[in-house]
Amino acid sequence: MAIESPQSFVTYSASEQAAWQNGFRKNLGQENGWAAFGSTTAKGTIFLASGSDNGSWYVAIDHPGVVAELPFPKACVTHPGIAAYSAAHMSELYPVLTRIYELSVSLPDGPLEEFQAATDGLPEKTEAERLVKQRIGQDIFRNRLISYWQGRCPISDISDTELLRASHIKPWKDCETDAERLDVHNGILLSALWDAAFDKGLVTFKDDGTPEFSSKLSAPAMSSLSGHSKRISGLTAGHKENLIWHRDQVFNP
């Protein structure tokens, strides 16, 4: 596919608006018809271009973690970065850009870097001081899980933010490093009831995302959980590794 190069004023304006509205607000110039944009909060660079003959649009990215998890087919076009994606119209490209941003702020170490910046110089000699630092980390972890899971519990489809919990698969206290504590692959955004059951080992998840229930659940609890659930899709190798730990160390069959 041929790329419009250089971009016209109209094309560049549309590229800039799309990038801005999806969190990439740093203009990084243009080369070979691809306009580059960065972000102060998200990792990596996005590149936007328009087809010269059919009005289609393209986005290319250079973030390997995002490429690994972005659920869209790749485009066959010469591009910067490591992968490109296409849409027939700009409006169809917006969901791709939104998901790129959501993943870019979470992978692989965005939460850790934010935590380190927020806690740099904070004392942690006393238990109270350590708890302050932990709360900061848990708030960051929650915000990034909300982005990663697109603000919705993948089991119940509940999207009321007040009812969602940032559930660590391997609890904060059992993690050996801050990187492990703040890794979004060590968390699932669960509604309150699912979070409580998961935390207490009354439910876990198989590698394919299917819930596994404990025999210790009461009949009403089992009915509430099993009657409003589905399989989690899109679990990564990181999620699965942490779920092995959860099944071995937390789950009560």
Side-chain angles (χ1 to χ4, degrees):
M1 296 291 182
I3 296 296
E4 177 188 324
S5 181
Q7 289 189 3
S8 67
F9 174 78
V10 171
T11 297
Y12 184 79
S13 296
S15 298
E16 185 177 45
Q17 181 179 22
W20 178 274
Q21 291 184 357
N22 287 280
F24 291 90
R25 299 173 179 176
K26 295 170 62 178
N27 295 338
L28 302 178
Q30 182 185 156
E31 186 173 353
N32 298 325
W34 292 87
F37 302 90
S39 171
T40 57
T41 53
K43 290 280 191 176
T45 302
I46 66 168
F47 308 86
L48 291 169
S50 177
S52 61
D53 52 357
N54 59 3
S56 57
W57 282 89
Y58 303 92
V59 58
I61 56 177
D62 62 2
H63 192 311
V66 175
V67 171
E69 296 194 36
L70 200 62
F72 300 101
K74 296 181 176 64
C76 295
V77 62
T78 302
H79 60 83
I82 57 178
Y85 308 86
S86 65
H89 306 284
M90 174 58 85
S91 60
E92 297 175 8
L93 196 65
Y94 267 66
V96 184
L97 293 171
T98 298
R99 190 58 182 151
I100 288 171
Y101 179 79
E102 290 169 342
L103 292 172
S104 296
V105 297
S106 305
L107 302 170
D109 51 8
L112 176 62
E113 291 183 359
E114 184 180 353
F115 174 70
Q116 290 172 334
T119 59
D120 184 37
L122 286 183
E124 51 179 326
K125 295 180 181 179
T126 68
E127 182 63 19
E129 290 168 344
R130 285 190 289 272
L131 287 174
V132 168
K133 190 173 181 179
Q134 179 176 327
R135 280 196 295 271
I136 292 172
Q138 290 173 336
D139 285 344
I140 292 171
F141 184 71
R142 172 180 168 79
N143 289 335
R144 296 306 174 92
L145 273 194
I146 288 173
S147 292
Y148 184 87
W149 291 101
Q150 298 179 284
R152 184 177 298 275
C153 170
I155 295 293
S156 64
D157 276 338
I158 288 175
S159 59
D160 305 68
T161 304
E162 296 82 359
L163 300 179
L164 298 175
R165 305 289 183 266
S167 301
H168 273 89
I169 301 173
K170 187 175 183 180
W172 184 282
K173 63 181 178 59
D174 293 306
C175 294
E176 296 181 1
T177 65
D178 288 336
E180 191 176 10
R181 294 181 181 103
L182 293 157
D183 182 357
V184 293
H185 295 141
N186 185 30
I188 306 174
L189 190 69
L190 296 176
S191 58
L193 181 60
W194 277 93
D195 169 66
F198 186 69
D199 181 63
K200 297 301 182 183
L202 297 173
V203 67
T204 191
F205 302 100
K206 300 177 182 179
D207 282 354
D208 67 354
T210 302
E212 184 175 356
F213 300 100
S214 169
S215 62
K216 296 178 174 60
L217 280 168
S218 67
M222 176 69 81
S223 176
S224 293
L225 291 167
S226 62
H228 301 86
S229 67
K230 62 180 183 179
R231 183 178 65 85
I232 299 177
S233 62
L235 291 176
T236 67
H239 289 118
K240 294 174 184 178
E241 182 178 349
N242 285 308
L243 283 169
I244 290 172
W245 186 94
H246 187 271
R247 292 195 294 268
D248 290 344
Q249 301 296 323
V250 181
F251 182 56
N252 295 307

